[in-house]
Amino acid sequence: MSTLSEVYAQYPLKVDDIIPLDFDSVVTVPDSHAWPISDGFESNDWLSIPTIDLKDPDAAKLIGHACETWGVFQVVNHDIPLNLLDEVESEARQLFSLPTTQKLKALRSPGGVTGYGLARISSFFNKFMWHEGFTIIGSPLDHARELWPNDYQKFCDIMVDGQKKMEELAITIMHNILEYLAVSEEEMKWLGSPGVASTALQLNSYPLCPDPNRAIGLAPHTDNSLFTILHQRISGLQIFKEGVGWGFVQPVTGALVVNVGDLLHILSNARFPSVVHRVVMKEAKQRFSVAFFYSPPADFNLDPLGLSFGQIPLYRSVTVAEYFGRKAKDLEKHLLRLEFSGESMKSISIFMLVFA
């Protein structure tokens, strides 16, 4: 497979697992979206995750340590103009404020990656999530024309600019991570080459919910990517930390959240945890966020890097495309199994192509 879009085309979803609820038409949470109270969404703890200044001379050390101990951190002085982040969110607001019938004109196809629809993980859960999203890879021109037949260029320009700046930041973060792992950049020759990495920009909307204790924005999961860069203004993102439980990642003005994904977990030979996270309906208002997923090219071979002499790799070599395909086929069996007991999680077992 030459692209991740071609990978996902092999695992088409049912249309019912793509179409979001018409949130404007409901006054109560329907049974299809009502999650058990025992899933413990009521946690109100704030986690003191690290905030790192990218201009700090010790940024590589601080980032590596945060990845190792938390699997998540926030960055400031990241060189993405705040007005660009404002513009991206403003365009997202306009998109999600369109009538449902209009948004459905840009619906993601069953075997597609881009466009309007539910989170792809929705098909693995018995209940639906209180969420609608819009996924962009490169130019969103085709879908934007469906949404705004005569006024789509501004949306396209801002989204393309946003992806460019996010990728520049991702490259900077990856350089710091490789420095921390003492890995030669020769082993990641694709890094920094324009248009080579596998990337996606995800616009998220979590509409105002009539009963937040019965709904969930995004169910617990890990991201496929090396890491994800997130812009959030309103709280709702929670991560699970062993020995602590669920806690909120507090929005910091001007900061971006970075969380470790599955591929970086593999490359680090499990030094960096792929952080389990979810979105809960905490605030009595609509919540928007913007996520940028950063991964190697689809044909890149994933092998644990930076191993010391005699250290045994925990994972066998696998291409990015193969890993994405396995997770697309069976999230629960092959990657993530979560069992809840009130506010605690009894077990987290992550299957990552471990050596037999």
Side-chain angles (χ1 to χ4, degrees):
M1 299 292 179
S2 59
T3 68
L4 295 182
S5 294
E6 291 172 326
V7 173
Y8 285 123
Q10 304 301 308
Y11 303 96
L13 300 175
K14 298 177 181 177
V15 174
D16 288 347
D17 290 326
I18 302 173
I19 300 177
L21 180 69
D22 182 358
F23 295 101
D24 293 334
S25 68
V26 297
V27 293
T28 60
V29 175
D31 182 67
S32 58
H33 290 68
W35 290 63
I37 298 295
S38 60
D39 282 357
F41 304 150
E42 67 275 11
S43 171
N44 288 311
D45 294 334
W46 295 96
L47 297 178
S48 299
I49 69 168
T51 296
I52 298 169
D53 185 339
L54 277 184
K55 307 300 183 186
D56 191 311
D58 293 324
K61 180 180 178 181
L62 295 170
I63 288 173
H65 185 258
C67 286
E68 202 158 5
T69 56
W70 284 92
V72 63
F73 56 95
Q74 304 206 57
V75 289
V76 294
N77 280 330
H78 43 67
D79 288 340
I80 297 183
L82 298 184
N83 68 309
L84 177 58
L85 295 174
D86 291 341
E87 288 176 331
V88 171
E89 181 173 314
S90 176
E91 292 298 317
R93 285 177 179 272
Q94 291 187 50
L95 188 160
F96 293 118
S97 68
L98 292 171
T100 297
T101 53
Q102 189 71 12
K103 289 183 285 189
L104 289 177
K105 292 181 179 180
L107 186 68
R108 190 174 72 241
S109 66
V113 177
T114 60
Y116 177 72
L118 292 170
R120 192 174 178 89
I121 62 171
S122 298
S123 61
F124 296 106
F125 296 89
N126 293 326
K127 298 289 186 177
F128 287 107
M129 302 164 208
W130 206 263
H131 168 267
E132 55 182 340
F134 190 86
T135 308
I136 301 168
I137 297 178
S139 173
L141 180 61
D142 289 343
H143 284 122
R145 280 175 171 163
E146 297 293 334
L147 296 171
W148 302 283
N150 302 310
D151 189 23
Y152 53 81
Q153 196 58 54
K154 179 183 177 184
F155 177 84
C156 293
D157 291 344
I158 289 174
M159 294 305 151
V160 169
D161 194 18
Q163 289 174 89
K164 179 183 177 182
K165 295 297 185 184
M166 284 286 195
E167 184 166 6
E168 290 173 358
L169 172 58
I171 291 169
T172 298
I173 292 171
M174 196 65 209
H175 281 307
N176 280 283
I177 288 172
L178 293 179
E179 180 181 336
Y180 181 80
L181 293 173
V183 172
S184 168
E185 294 187 7
E186 283 295 306
E187 299 186 66
M188 302 277 279
K189 290 182 179 180
W190 59 270
L191 184 63
S193 300
V196 175
S198 299
T199 66
L201 188 72
Q202 175 75 21
L203 309 180
N204 296 304
S205 165
Y206 305 92
L208 178 65
C209 183
D211 189 356
N213 291 325
R214 297 301 308 277
I216 189 168
L218 280 181
H221 65 286
T222 62
D223 292 339
N224 291 2
S225 54
L226 284 168
F227 51 82
T228 302
I229 302 172
L230 179 80
H231 179 234
Q232 62 163 2
R233 295 183 188 277
I234 297 175
S235 61
L237 174 65
Q238 289 188 328
I239 68 166
F240 184 86
K241 183 170 175 57
E242 288 286 358
V244 177
W246 288 107
F248 283 100
V249 176
Q250 185 167 12
V252 174
T253 302
L256 295 168
V257 180
V258 181
N259 68 266
V260 172
D262 300 345
L263 302 188
L264 190 52
H265 178 82
I266 294 172
L267 287 180
S268 69
N269 206 38
R271 284 180 67 180
F272 298 168
S274 184
V275 67
V276 180
H277 56 287
R278 67 184 184 185
V279 175
V280 299
M281 312 305 297
K282 177 177 171 60
E283 303 283 352
K285 62 180 72 174
Q286 186 171 15
R287 178 180 182 269
F288 300 94
S289 71
V290 178
F292 182 77
F293 302 98
Y294 187 70
S295 303
D299 60 357
F300 179 75
N301 277 302
L302 293 162
D303 294 286
L305 302 177
L307 303 182
S308 57
F309 180 74
Q311 188 177 1
I312 298 173
L314 298 178
Y315 312 112
R316 70 170 178 83
S317 179
V318 62
T319 66
V320 172
E322 182 185 354
Y323 183 78
F324 273 60
R326 292 193 177 197
K327 189 172 178 181
K329 184 178 181 181
D330 196 335
L331 176 83
E332 183 177 353
K333 180 178 179 182
H334 291 297
L335 184 72
L336 182 64
R337 178 167 294 139
L338 301 170
E339 297 176 10
F340 293 89
S341 177
E343 293 185 3
S344 67
M345 186 178 296
K346 292 180 181 177
S347 66
I348 304 176
S349 58
I350 298 182
F351 174 88
M352 291 261 195
L353 311 171
V354 184
F355 280 101

